[in-house]
Amino acid sequence: MSAPMSRPAFAPDSSVVAEVMPSPNHGERSDGRRPDMILLHYTGMADADSALALLCAQGSNVSAHYFVFEDGRIIQMVAESRRAWHAGKSEWAGETDINSCSIGIEIANPGHDHGYPEFPKRQIAAVTTLCRSIQTRNAIVPARVLAHSDVAPARKQDPGEKFPWRALHESGVGHWVKPAPIMNFGQVLAPASRADAVIALQKSLREYGYGIEANGDYDSNTVEVVTAFQRHFRPERVDGHADPSTRSTLQELLASRGRARTIAARARTAILRVGP
């Protein structure tokens, strides 16, 4: 007589999940928080299977809610109602318990330390579909679909400058504007800069959500935050220097943050532009 098939510890939250592989690494969300952020990571390990094994290992003290393989297969490790351990020491919009307010997605990619290949189109399509599925169950505004590097710029680079944020945005996920063109003239803020423009930059970055104080000093933290911003929003040049392109892109993001971002709204806008 064959042994009965074992059942997963919880039912998947989304129909796009291929398999549930429960991780023991999770807990209660603080104060009964409902997730209102999606945080995207890359695995940063040489192969996907090793990364998945680590996230599901007892005692590793790391986990995420979802894992997306290069071929688009999606594994769920932690129920969305639970607090996974993926953000580490981090901050966004003054909040430091990012694990309690977020859903973490690990995207299989070896990262900067292992060659950092492009993200396959099939994988990005799966990430996009998963994010849209998460958004149907949780109140997540576009500007709170973030990179791990956004909330932990001193420690993290993922998912990095090769991640196609624009493609997600065009499918209704995340906040994005066309980056201002890079010009080889104009004021460039960099280490040793101590002008009113530095304070204005720091205030704008903090207004968007980054963990930075407006001290007027273009210090190491400012370099790290500007670098994280560029990885996400102006990836053509990632150097930690706030050139006019970086600053203009930031201002446009602040101005557009509250605009409707549904696919239907974009379609209506396109129709109005081209006419009947």
Side-chain angles (χ1 to χ4, degrees):
M1 182 176 179
S2 61
M5 293 181 62
S6 61
R7 294 184 177 181
F10 61 91
D13 285 297
S14 172
S15 62
V16 303
V17 171
E19 184 180 356
V20 170
M21 293 183 61
S23 171
N25 307 318
H26 57 85
E28 298 283 347
R29 293 185 183 273
S30 298
D31 301 321
R33 283 289 300 271
R34 296 237 353 138
D36 62 5
M37 176 189 293
I38 296 173
L39 200 63
L40 302 184
H41 309 250
Y42 65 38
T43 52
M45 294 179 65
D47 65 88
D49 289 337
S50 296
L52 181 60
L54 179 68
L55 291 163
C56 293
Q58 182 78 46
S60 68
N61 293 325
V62 292
S63 63
H65 295 88
Y66 295 99
F67 188 103
V68 183
F69 280 94
E70 292 93 338
D71 63 3
R73 185 163 54 101
I74 299 172
I75 303 295
Q76 187 168 2
M77 298 168 286
V78 177
E80 289 182 8
S81 61
R82 303 289 290 173
R83 180 182 184 273
W85 304 340
H86 57 98
K89 184 178 180 181
S90 52
E91 178 182 350
W92 189 257
E95 186 164 17
T96 55
D97 186 1
I98 300 301
N99 284 335
S100 280
C101 68
S102 64
I103 290 174
I105 301 175
E106 287 281 355
I107 303 164
N109 185 295
H112 291 81
D113 292 339
H114 301 281
Y116 193 33
E118 300 286 343
F119 294 86
K121 291 183 179 179
R122 177 179 287 186
Q123 184 182 44
I124 295 304
V127 171
T128 303
T129 302
L130 175 59
C131 287
R132 290 180 60 181
S133 172
I134 292 168
Q135 290 174 167
T136 66
R137 295 181 294 280
N138 303 278
I140 298 171
V141 299
R144 285 179 71 86
V145 180
L146 297 166
H148 197 187
S149 56
D150 288 322
V151 303
R155 301 187 301 110
K156 296 296 181 178
Q157 305 177 78
D158 57 311
E161 62 277 6
K162 290 184 179 181
F163 188 77
W165 292 100
R166 177 180 176 179
L168 267 70
H169 173 75
E170 291 176 346
S171 295
V173 176
H175 187 205
W176 175 264
V177 297
K178 183 178 180 180
I182 297 173
M183 305 292 187
N184 293 320
F185 56 84
Q187 183 184 32
V188 177
L189 304 178
S193 297
R194 288 180 177 83
D196 290 343
V198 174
I199 294 178
L201 168 70
Q202 292 167 331
K203 286 182 176 179
S204 293
L205 287 165
R206 186 165 185 83
E207 182 183 352
Y208 196 76
Y210 288 94
I212 186 171
E213 298 296 332
N215 60 13
D217 182 8
Y218 207 106
D219 52 17
S220 60
N221 184 50
T222 303
V223 172
E224 290 160 351
V225 169
V226 170
T227 299
F229 175 84
Q230 291 169 335
R231 288 190 194 283
H232 188 156
F233 296 109
R234 211 289 306 275
E236 289 80 6
R237 182 186 293 169
V238 179
D239 58 7
H241 296 174
D243 60 350
S245 166
T246 299
R247 301 198 304 276
S248 294
T249 303
L250 173 57
Q251 293 307 313
E252 177 58 23
L253 284 162
L254 287 167
S256 65
R257 186 163 47 176
R259 296 174 190 165
R261 285 302 308 144
T262 65
I263 294 174
R266 291 204 305 279
R268 287 194 297 271
T269 300
I271 290 171
L272 289 172
R273 283 177 179 169
V274 300

